[in-house]
Amino acid sequence: MKRFAVVLILLSFLSVSSFSQENNSQKEGYIFTVVKEHPVTSIKNQNRTSTCWSFSALSFLESELLRTGKGTHDLSEMFIVSNAYYDKADKYIRTSGNINFAPGSSFGDVLAVWKNYGIVPDAVMPGLNYGEKTHIHNEFDAALSGYVKALVRNPNGKYTPAWKEGFKGILNAYLGEVPQKFTYNGKEYTPKSFAAELGIVSDDYVSLTSYTHHPFYSEFALEIPDNWRWDRSYNLPIDELMMIFDFAIEKGYTVLWASDVSEKGFTRKGIAFVPETEVANMSGSDQERWLGVPKSELDAKIFSLEQIVPEKKITQETRQIAFDNGQTTDDHGMHIYGIAKDQKGNKYYMVKNSWGETGDYKGIWYVSETFARYKTMNIVVHKNSIPAGIKAKLGIK
């Protein structure tokens, strides 16, 4: 046992020495080289709202307008929010309160509003009617939620037509009235005529996901609270879903991305990865005992970003377990517009966020391929950005 202890001490010394040398040799941190990127509009700030779904989806559609030669546009997120909230309230009442009534939503909401109501420029409906310079929705969300929940408890036994006008009154007080007509670049439009001129066809965009509790190559409604419209997604094996990320970007398209950003690996510095070492499970382990690396110190080393962190291998089963046990949740919508690599050749997706010019890259995140493989809830893409073989399997024309 004494010889064994000596060997362990020697190994621990060599391991610490090796760890130290490696740490010192890689302290240049992450250095990214762009492989391919596509045009995006300026970074926006959703501020204190749960409207990432609207900001990210309109960023994606603004890039689609750039791709199709329609020019640069700044579209109104709050036009989308107002109309979506109205639709949500109607469904909430029709289901006697049995859907999720909250400010979060899904990408399908944006496409449905575009199709049914049109769109307006942000300058026409900035949605700041409540004395603030930036979006702050706590009071607004509470007012809408309180209103519809009171209606469901209605003792009259029936609803009058007045409830919809009352709900619109709250929307209008905070976001401004939805314009029936407006002038833009010297031309008069309605929201629907403006949308028609822009040429975006909502039905050209499809949602895709990858989970094993439904058959692959079928459609199902993701079982998440924000999917209150019960929009359906095509289900693919994860390898094929990841193929679409790369194929779309290679062919000139961008990708609308829903993910879980509550993971520690989604750092606020602008890099997202899945560390190979399970930091939460290190306390009391042999590594802590023999190398003297407590959880707090190891955590600091991994997330210092002074060196490239080895990542965990992600499988279809890994994804499914995280979704089934509630570790992967529907947190945040973002816009992928390019691919980059670090100095070791690892692949990252270039992501436009909606938190203003935050982080080391001023509102842009570099998300590892591993993180995307693990934490993608679903993506939305133009159907022509899907490889022909996968489209055939899904029956997409």
Side-chain angles (χ1 to χ4, degrees), residues 45-294:
N45 190 354
Q46 69 185 78
N47 201 35
R48 289 161 54 188
T49 73
S50 298
T51 57
C52 60
W53 51 277
S54 181
F55 278 83
S56 55
L58 285 187
S59 175
F60 169 75
L61 293 174
E62 287 167 3
S63 281
E64 283 290 272
L65 294 174
L66 290 168
R67 181 182 66 82
T68 56
K70 296 290 186 177
T72 302
H73 295 275
D74 181 5
L75 302 174
S76 171
E77 292 85 10
M78 294 306 130
F79 175 89
I80 299 289
V81 170
S82 182
N83 283 291
Y85 246 140
Y86 184 78
D87 285 354
K88 189 183 300 186
D90 183 70
K91 192 165 190 174
Y92 185 84
I93 297 301
R94 292 182 187 280
T95 60
S96 299
N98 287 305
I99 65 164
N100 185 49
F101 191 90
S105 201
S106 69
F107 298 143
D109 230 9
V110 178
L111 294 171
V113 169
W114 190 294
K115 180 178 182 178
N116 296 328
Y117 301 106
I119 190 65
V120 303
D122 188 72
V124 172
M125 189 176 173
L128 289 166
N129 269 35
Y130 46 97
E132 300 286 351
K133 294 182 179 179
T134 56
H135 301 293
I136 301 173
H137 281 187
N138 295 340
E139 180 182 294
F140 170 59
D141 294 332
L144 293 175
S145 178
Y147 185 88
V148 295
K149 288 177 180 178
L151 285 170
V152 169
R153 297 191 299 268
N154 185 352
N156 289 344
K158 68 175 184 178
Y159 300 108
T160 71
W163 83 260
K164 291 187 177 181
E165 291 305 310
F167 190 82
K168 280 185 179 179
I170 300 174
L171 290 174
N172 295 346
Y174 284 87
L175 303 184
E177 291 189 24
V178 172
Q180 301 303 305
K181 291 183 179 180
F182 62 94
T183 301
Y184 182 63
N185 291 338
K187 185 175 178 180
E188 186 174 84
Y189 297 95
T190 67
K192 294 201 78 169
S193 70
F194 185 58
E197 184 166 298
L198 294 179
I200 296 289
V201 178
S202 293
D203 293 341
D204 286 342
Y205 299 88
V206 295
S207 174
L208 303 115
T209 190
S210 178
Y211 290 111
T212 58
H213 62 293
H214 292 277
F216 289 136
Y217 311 114
S218 68
E219 289 182 89
F220 74 97
L222 272 166
E223 302 93 342
I224 53 177
D226 285 345
N227 188 22
W228 64 270
R229 284 188 191 268
W230 307 324
D231 291 316
R232 299 169 72 82
S233 297
Y234 290 98
N235 197 26
L236 289 169
I238 187 57
D239 288 343
E240 293 189 3
L241 185 69
M242 297 308 298
M243 282 176 58
I244 294 172
F245 280 68
D246 297 341
F247 185 85
I249 293 168
E250 178 61 32
K251 295 299 180 182
Y253 296 84
T254 63
V255 177
L256 188 49
W257 182 50
S259 182
D260 180 351
V261 302
S262 60
E263 297 292 313
K264 200 164 207 176
F266 194 93
T267 73
R268 294 309 182 259
K269 292 187 175 183
I271 299 173
F273 57 91
V274 185
E276 184 179 52
T277 304
E278 292 279 4
V279 177
N281 297 328
M282 289 302 301
S283 181
S285 70
D286 277 351
Q287 181 168 338
E288 181 176 0
R289 179 182 177 189
W290 293 113
L291 301 186
V293 183

Side-chain angles (χ1 to χ4, degrees), residues 362-382:
K362 305 299 183 185
I364 301 302
W365 259 250
Y366 289 87
V367 173
S368 75
E369 183 178 31
T370 302
F371 189 97
R373 177 179 285 268
Y374 187 29
K375 289 297 175 176
T376 294
M377 181 69 69
N378 71 300
I379 61 173
V380 169
V381 295
H382 192 287

